């Protein structure tokens, strides 16, 4: 059985948890309605539907590590010409805050709220929890690390019931090597895009992570036409809807046939 390990890197981190559906509580509520009310009933419990339960309990819930209000990010990506001061270029382009990503830069307006997640790093300095990724997206560093089996993948997706209103969580798939190496780069992070002012609360579900087998990404597709799906296999003379002669009611089969 595949094993996934989570470990905190920061004292404020909330590790992912395995979601569970309380079937007993759901059935107790249904039975209470039946025993107590004249008309009101719960005719069908989601907890009695295996596909729904499996979907709800799939993977691990990623929880918000702090309470704050996020706002949409008005950012712009730009390059800095040789011998030009990056901060001068950023101010000229209207950005109040600047972040270097690789060889290029991102400048953003109204990004003060990003610094509410600044936290103390292992070397005693201050480190940002939120880092702009461009096009309104952010990298959200969660303060914990994961170790998954070699060759597998980790899929990041919104929770089954949806992320907090106004917060988009893009679906992404991360290979095991990248996931396991994140421990040396500040831990696990997910991408988010605030689409409107949204308040998130510590402990609230913000995403779901799911372990994927390599076959999930290598699977191919084969489609059949209705003619192929209903065609009689070669070498079979059976008329659709009838039984082979030896299997018809009253037909003799086996060693006793013909005696």
């Amino acid at each position: 059985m595949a094993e996934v390990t989570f470990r905190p890197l920061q004292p404020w981190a909330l590790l992912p948890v395995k979601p569970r559906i309380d079937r007993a509580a759901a059935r107790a509520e249904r039975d209470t309605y039946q025993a107590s009310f004249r008309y009101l009933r719960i005719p069908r419990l989601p907890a009695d539907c295996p596909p729904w339960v499996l979907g709800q309990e799939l993977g691990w819930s990623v929880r918000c590590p702090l309470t704050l209000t996020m706002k949409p990010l008005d950012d712009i990506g730009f390059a800095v010409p040789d011998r030009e001061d990056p901060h001068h270029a950023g101010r000229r382009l209207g950005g109040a805050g600047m972040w270097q990503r690789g060889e290029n830069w991102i400048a953003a307006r109204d990004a003060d709220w990003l610094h509410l997640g600044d936290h103390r790093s292992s070397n005693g300095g201050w480190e940002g929890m939120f880092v702009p990724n461009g096009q309104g997206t952010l990298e959200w560093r969660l303060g914990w690390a994961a170790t998954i089996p070699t060759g597998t993948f980790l899929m990041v997706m919104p929770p089954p019931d949806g992320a907090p209103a106004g917060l988009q969580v893009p679906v992404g798939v991360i290979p095991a090597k990248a996931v396991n190496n994140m421990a040396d780069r500040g831990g696990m992070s997910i991408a988010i895009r605030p689409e409107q002012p949204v308040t998130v609360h510590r402990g609230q579900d913000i995403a779901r992570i799911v372990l994927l087998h390599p076959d999930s990404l290598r699977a191919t597709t084969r489609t059949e036409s209705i003619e192929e799906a209903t065609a009689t296999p070669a070498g079979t003379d059976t008329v659709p809807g009838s039984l082979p002669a030896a299997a018809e009611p009253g037909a003799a089969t086996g060693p006793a046939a013909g005696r």
Side-chain angles (χ1 to χ4, degrees):
M1 180 181 295
E3 183 178 80
V4 174
T5 302
F6 301 113
R7 60 188 183 281
L9 302 177
Q10 299 288 345
W12 44 263
L14 293 179
L15 297 183
V17 294
K18 189 71 174 173
R20 296 295 184 192
I21 298 300
D22 191 343
R23 296 175 178 83
R27 290 166 182 163
E29 181 183 10
R30 176 199 58 195
D31 295 344
T32 298
Y33 277 44
Q34 183 173 345
S36 304
F37 296 107
R38 183 177 183 179
Y39 297 113
L40 195 59
R41 295 289 185 274
I42 301 178
R44 189 169 185 272
L45 285 174
D48 285 335
C49 177
W52 182 85
V53 172
L54 287 173
Q56 296 295 313
E57 296 185 342
L58 181 68
W60 297 266
S61 295
V62 177
R63 299 178 291 166
C64 178
L66 79 175
T67 298
L68 84 163
T69 298
M70 301 178 172
K71 299 178 182 178
L73 204 61
D74 181 13
D75 61 26
I76 182 172
F78 68 98
V80 179
D82 292 340
R83 296 183 297 278
E84 187 168 334
D85 179 66
H87 295 280
H88 175 72
R91 287 191 296 270
R92 174 175 292 178
L93 295 171
M98 291 181 53
W99 293 262
Q100 187 172 12
R101 305 307 306 263
E103 297 180 356
N104 297 316
W105 292 76
I106 295 175
R109 303 181 184 90
D110 301 324
D112 295 346
W113 68 268
L114 298 182
H115 295 293
L116 294 176
D118 290 357
H119 59 276
R120 195 172 298 281
S121 64
S122 56
N123 60 16
W126 296 105
E127 185 174 316
M129 179 182 294
F130 302 101
V131 181
N133 261 340
Q135 299 183 358
T137 65
L138 298 160
E139 178 185 338
W140 189 350
R141 298 171 177 174
L142 299 167
W144 50 265
T147 302
I148 65 176
T150 301
T152 62
F153 298 82
L154 199 64
M155 180 171 68
V156 181
M157 57 186 290
D161 294 332
L167 182 65
Q168 182 182 5
V169 180
V171 176
V173 177
I174 313 172
K177 184 176 180 180
V179 172
N180 297 340
N181 287 341
M182 283 184 184
D184 299 325
R185 301 197 305 271
M188 184 71 183
S189 64
I190 63 172
I192 61 169
R193 180 187 288 110
E195 299 179 316
Q196 64 186 43
V198 51
T199 300
V200 292
H201 300 272
R202 178 173 170 84
Q204 183 178 15
D205 286 358
I206 53 173
R208 182 67 61 91
I209 53 176
V210 178
L211 187 69
L212 295 181
H213 188 275
D215 285 349
S216 299
L217 302 182
R218 292 196 294 255
T220 59
T221 302
R222 180 180 181 275
T223 58
E224 291 185 346
S225 66
I226 186 65
E227 291 79 9
E228 291 175 316
T230 58
T232 302
T236 302
D237 296 330
T238 304
V239 176
S242 67
L243 296 172
E248 292 178 355
T253 58
R259 289 186 182 177

